[in-house]
């Protein structure tokens, strides 16, 4: 006689996943407190500002190309 599926023990391990996430978070915090923290922070700000401008300029270039193609 076979046992119902709901009574079979699960092999999912939640603890190791939580442990890995905590270890990753602790490494991130340790790196954030290093001597290059202020430089990395400034570079991250510059990258976020530049990324928005790059996408905007790419969209404008595509629209300009479409407009020139339509006129020609």
């Amino acid at each position: 006689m076979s046992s119902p599926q709901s009574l079979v023990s699960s092999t999912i391990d939640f603890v190791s996943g939580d442990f890995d996430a905590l270890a990753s978070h602790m490494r991130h915090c340790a790196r954030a407190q290093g001597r290059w923290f202020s430089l990395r922070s400034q570079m991250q700000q510059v990258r976020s500002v530049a990324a928005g401008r790059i996408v905007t300029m790419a969209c404008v270039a595509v629209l300009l190309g479409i407009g020139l193609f339509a006129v020609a």
Side-chain angles (χ1 to χ4, degrees):
M1 188 164 153
S2 64
S3 62
Q5 188 69 14
S6 62
L7 297 179
V8 175
S9 63
S10 177
T11 59
I12 298 173
D13 185 14
F14 292 107
V15 175
S16 67
D18 289 344
F19 182 74
D20 291 339
L22 178 62
S24 173
H25 176 75
M26 294 301 287
R27 281 190 302 273
H28 178 73
C29 289
R31 273 187 276 134
Q33 309 253 340
R35 60 180 155 167
W36 296 103
F37 174 70
S38 61
L39 179 65
R40 275 195 302 253
S41 177
Q42 292 295 324
M43 292 302 293
Q44 187 177 10
Q45 252 183 336
V46 168
R47 191 179 90 187
S48 68
V49 169
R53 301 297 188 268
I54 289 170
V55 170
T56 301
M57 291 305 295
C59 289
V60 167
V62 167
L63 290 176
L64 185 62
I66 291 172
L68 288 174
F69 184 71
V71 170

